[in-house]
Amino acid sequence: MTPAGVPVPDSPRPVTAGLGNTARNFRLRMAVIDCETEAALDRTRDRHGRTVHAGAAAAARTHRDKAAVEAYTTHLAPHAEALLDAARLALDTLPPARHLAGWRAVLEGLDACATEIRRALDRPAAPGSSAERAQYRALWPHLTAWAEHGSIASSLADQHGRQPQKDPLTDEEQRMWTERAQAAQRRGALDLTESWYAADGQPITLAYLVEDDESTVVALRGDPGIPGWRVIGHYAHEYEAGKELPAAVPPGVLRADASRFNRPAPAPEVSVQDLLRDVVEGHSAGDTANALLGAVQRGHQAGPMVRLQELLETSGQFAGALETAQGRQIAARLSALGRQIEFLTREVEEAAEDLGATVAVLPPHRTPVLRIRPRPAVDTTPPAPPPHTTTTARHL
């Protein structure tokens, strides 16, 4: 018997209308579950991020696992096989590109995950038992794989059966419009608005070409930051461009092993507000020195300045991974800023150590001011109000 969704000789191809929405609906539901779980887990931590209610945290994750299984069963389980079949068929029709091997590996991984989920659901444990909780917990990585990467299968299924779109302009028209757009770019009148990748791996960018106080939406193919890009179409508005141009495919990721749904436990950290409060409420040089050292602390419980440097470095990696001319320039800028933060961090650390070595306290003449004035005793007579004086109006 041929599995559902797999075409047999001389039979029509499987119906793919709406298949892509099944994975998108599941991802949306998983995003809601993730947000609800994070909110519940936040209530189990102290202000520094340490878990202080382990039982409540475990209960939140158990509820998450069960909700994820129910969402998969409702939104995706009846369609997963047909969705993968349609995605594979579409993948076989695409022109060669760098990302196709990775997409094929993702589809195989999703197929393996669907098989594991189906095998577990075919042998359900007793409802509410510890075995059921363990079963759902084991399924969580397979469910999150579909939530995070099912968009690739959805995109391919949406493209299945579509006719390849051709450039709407002739070679001569492309040359003319490209020259106009290049001239506008040189005078700062080419405003980029949106960018995506087509299925062939080529970037497409929408821009407003401004000439004589009038603007036209144009589509560029290639990197607008380096020579070689060209205009492949012009449109009255962005909606028309979206209908005519190749559809966007799912963008890539900075790190292949990163997972929104399987984040590591947050490292305990002290906020800048807490450090500032320590300084304001402190009395000795050591109090302020400790606050400054907390800002530049390294390691698992890194301070805010060290985290800022990590943010700049990671953002620089992202900018470089865009593989565009502007991305590489910004990556270099962020790298330089990261080095400046590193230098500043060392300076703050040295200043904190010097401040702590002063062994000094604030002088007593810096007297605190009471926030609430003393009230008179209950059995005392309140002071008489000042006499009411009237001012005689002057007549000129």
Side-chain angles (χ1 to χ4, degrees), residues 144-378:
T144 58
W146 266 98
E148 291 179 314
H149 309 303
S151 58
I152 293 178
S154 294
S155 176
L156 287 167
D158 290 341
Q159 295 182 35
H160 178 62
R162 287 183 180 176
Q163 295 297 324
Q165 292 172 299
K166 299 179 181 180
D167 292 340
L169 302 180
T170 64
D171 293 343
E172 179 61 24
E173 289 173 327
Q174 284 192 15
R175 184 189 61 79
M176 181 190 68
W177 277 95
T178 300
E179 290 177 353
R180 291 172 60 179
Q182 289 172 344
Q185 186 182 48
R186 287 191 293 269
R187 63 176 184 269
L190 186 67
D191 300 328
L192 309 182
T193 62
E194 186 180 1
S195 180
W196 68 88
Y197 278 87
D200 60 1
Q202 290 294 315
I204 296 177
T205 304
L206 288 186
Y208 280 97
L209 172 61
V210 182
E211 295 175 314
D212 301 327
D213 295 331
E214 294 185 358
S215 62
T216 304
V217 177
V218 294
L220 319 177
R221 185 182 287 273
D223 182 358
I226 58 176
W229 58 268
R230 57 192 173 93
V231 174
I232 60 172
H234 59 91
Y235 312 91
H237 44 70
E238 294 187 22
Y239 179 73
E240 180 186 359
K243 293 192 301 181
E244 297 294 332
L245 291 168
V249 299
V253 295
L254 179 61
R255 296 176 179 172
D257 59 346
S259 171
R260 168 184 174 176
F261 298 98
N262 295 285
R263 293 170 177 162
E269 61 181 5
V270 179
S271 70
V272 176
Q273 294 185 67
D274 288 340
L275 297 174
L276 181 60
R277 185 165 55 240
D278 290 344
V279 174
V280 173
E281 297 174 355
H283 300 284
S284 69
D287 296 332
T288 297
N290 288 334
L292 289 172
L293 290 173
V296 298
Q297 179 174 324
R298 304 176 188 274
H300 179 61
Q301 301 184 33
M305 292 191 67
V306 176
R307 294 297 187 198
L308 176 59
Q309 183 185 358
E310 294 176 357
L311 175 62
L312 291 174
E313 291 176 349
T314 307
S315 299
Q317 295 171 9
F318 183 95
L322 294 175
E323 299 183 5
T324 63
Q326 285 189 325
R328 287 187 289 269
Q329 294 172 2
I330 296 172
R333 289 171 56 189
L334 290 172
S335 178
L337 289 172
R339 291 192 295 271
Q340 294 179 33
I341 294 294
E342 171 63 22
F343 173 79
L344 184 59
T345 298
R346 291 197 300 267
E347 289 291 307
V348 171
E349 188 173 7
E350 292 178 6
E353 292 173 349
D354 293 342
L355 181 61
T358 61
V359 193
V361 297
L362 294 174
H365 66 77
R366 301 185 65 86
T367 308
V369 177
L370 294 180
R371 296 176 61 87
I372 302 179
R373 296 181 180 275
R375 299 180 61 183
V378 177

Side-chain angles (χ1 to χ4, degrees), residues 61-81:
R61 293 190 177 93
T62 297
H63 177 76
R64 174 203 68 183
D65 298 341
K66 181 178 180 181
V69 171
E70 293 174 349
Y72 181 88
T73 303
T74 301
H75 297 287
L76 196 54
H79 314 286
E81 186 177 354

